[in-house]
Amino acid sequence: MQTFARGAAVWGVECPQGPSRVAGVSMAGFRVRDLGALRIVPYPAVTLLLEFGAGSPVLDGAAGRLQRGSFVAGAGLGSGGAVWARGENVECVQVRLSPVVAGAILGVPPAELDGAVVSLEDVWGREASRTRERLRAASSWQARFALTDALLARRYEAGPPVDPEVAWIWHRMVAGHGLARVDGLAAEVGWSRKRLWSRFGAQLGLPPKRAMKLVRFDHAAHRLVAGDRAARVAAETGYADQSHLHREVMAFTGATPTAVADELFLAVDDLAWPGRGTSSVPHGARPV
């Protein structure tokens, strides 16, 4: 297990030795003795958090506690800077699911999540508690990753796939860092704009324009964390100017670009999510 340290924050971070059997799935393991006031920064994937330690992570929102323990959250969790994580003696496997595969794995359409946080027990029933016990009993992090991956692969194979056109459009959005035109993507697959809006939103849980903005923001935010100046990031990631970037970052995080560049949630990504697996093309996706 590698150590990520920033100021007073010290986390243990572990990564799988190989990719998931399901394209569009990535995971990391975390051990944090004292998780205090961590701002959740939105990213273009559905979050599945599987906790198994002595403590328990807690998500707080503007109106109070959102969830304790294992949970599922729709893409864009934390928009507006409204969600913070905390806890003591936290051990968990965090899974990022491309919206293209999330519905099959979870057993519910991402549209039903709509960015909300839901207890995993409400989604998986008794399988949630059984998974927690198996993760706790596993002898190593790699064993936990293998267990989790087998579970996700089984559920994915049993679940309904999204339309291949929807999968391809999502891939194009991510591969292009949110710079493609929605109408152009609709034309590429031979769909009307209305049909794209309907099918994409129903199957992935995000309207196409919102999805594009989220993907573009994620790319820009990681450029800021890497040390690029805001003016350059704005010019190279599709924003009209630096003020436009500032407004979008504030809308997604409730913080300025300068503050976002120092967010722990993003800073750990290079260690925990090399390549950030949301750009993978899911099984069954193809050019149309």
Side-chain angles (χ1 to χ4, degrees), residues 205-223:
L206 290 168
K209 188 174 181 180
R210 172 72 174 175
M212 199 79 81
K213 285 185 175 183
L214 180 58
V215 170
R216 182 176 62 179
F217 159 77
D218 180 67
H219 178 58
H222 283 89
R223 289 280 302 271

Side-chain angles (χ1 to χ4, degrees), residues 10 39 110 124 207 228 230 237 249 266:
V10 180
R39 187 201 306 268
W124 280 0
D228 288 347
T237 58
V249 170
L266 295 174

